[in-house]
Amino acid sequence: SGRILVRAGRHHVSSEDEDGEVQVEGAVEIEGEDGAVLVGSIILGSGSSGRIHNIHVDNQYGTALWALGGSWKLDRCQALCGSSSKPAMLCAGDAVIHAQFCVFGGLGGKQESRTAVSAQTRARVELEECHLRSAAHSSLALHHSASLSLASSSLSKAPHALCAKDGTAASLTIQNSSIACDQVWEGSNR
């Protein structure tokens, strides 16, 4: 497995009118110095795995962190999105994500993500001591047969804490977490 060190400062992966992306395939550890900010997206491909530590990802136009497969540990990271039509972190395919001490959601102010975290298809997501905030629709969205576990975390600044689409066979577990959203559930699908 390889190792990537991201130095302190703002690192742009972008063109003039949209934020760019860094695609990750294979096994790798990505570590950020204090103050390391990537402006754009990180896409964790289906054949990837590893650990991301102390990285702040900002994307004004779209999803900040895409987990499309593989097994990943996220530690002390932030994935923030400024588009009210996109999730800050999207987990799909066979992705297995364990995040600890992370922040997901909008960039702040009027720049909200649609959802802080969206889990789809067969993704398995574990969030521990994380903060999900500033979403235009919901803090968490579950689709298909994804599973999500939330422990000792907080959900805030969103109209709905949770959203599950009709026909979803997803599973959700919440332990010792606080919810400070306008409503707990969006719709009647529980």
Side-chain angles (χ1 to χ4, degrees):
S1 83
R3 182 172 184 263
I4 298 170
L5 176 64
V6 180
R7 299 281 183 199
R10 290 182 70 80
H11 306 281
H12 294 265
V13 185
S14 61
S15 63
E16 285 187 31
D17 61 347
E18 63 181 47
D19 291 335
E21 60 194 40
V22 173
Q23 294 198 3
V24 179
E25 294 292 340
V28 67
E29 180 174 331
I30 304 170
E31 178 143 3
E33 292 181 342
D34 286 344
V37 178
L38 175 68
V39 179
S41 295
I42 295 178
I43 300 175
L44 307 173
S46 61
S48 67
S49 64
R51 177 176 177 254
I52 301 175
H53 174 74
N54 203 33
I55 298 285
H56 182 136
V57 184
D58 285 354
N59 191 319
Q60 184 168 345
Y61 306 104
T63 299
L65 183 59
W66 300 73
L68 304 178
S71 179
W72 284 90
K73 292 185 187 287
L74 310 177
D75 179 40
R76 301 190 191 286
C77 294
Q78 291 188 43
L80 305 178
C81 167
S83 172
S84 62
S85 65
K86 305 287 182 182
M89 180 170 72
L90 175 79
C91 304
D94 291 315
V96 177
I97 302 296
H98 179 84
Q100 190 171 23
F101 307 113
C102 294
V103 177
F104 303 103
L107 288 168
K110 294 186 183 285
Q111 292 188 301
E112 301 175 317
S113 61
R114 176 168 176 75
T115 58
V117 175
S118 178
Q120 303 179 7
T121 53
R122 297 166 306 283
R124 293 188 330 239
V125 181
E126 295 177 4
L127 305 175
E128 184 179 346
E129 296 191 51
C130 292
H131 183 62
L132 286 68
R133 61 166 175 82
S134 300
H137 185 263
S138 61
S139 295
L140 295 170
L142 294 168
H143 306 274
H144 313 111
S145 58
S147 67
L148 193 139
S149 171
L150 187 71
S152 303
S153 296
S154 64
L155 310 176
S156 66
K157 298 181 183 173
H160 308 99
L162 310 161
C163 171
K165 295 297 178 197
D166 290 336
T168 294
S171 66
L172 172 68
T173 304
I174 300 176
Q175 297 176 330
N176 301 323
S177 296
S178 67
I179 297 174
C181 298
D182 298 339
Q183 296 179 344
V184 175
W185 282 99
E186 184 267 337
S188 60
N189 190 21
R190 293 179 178 76

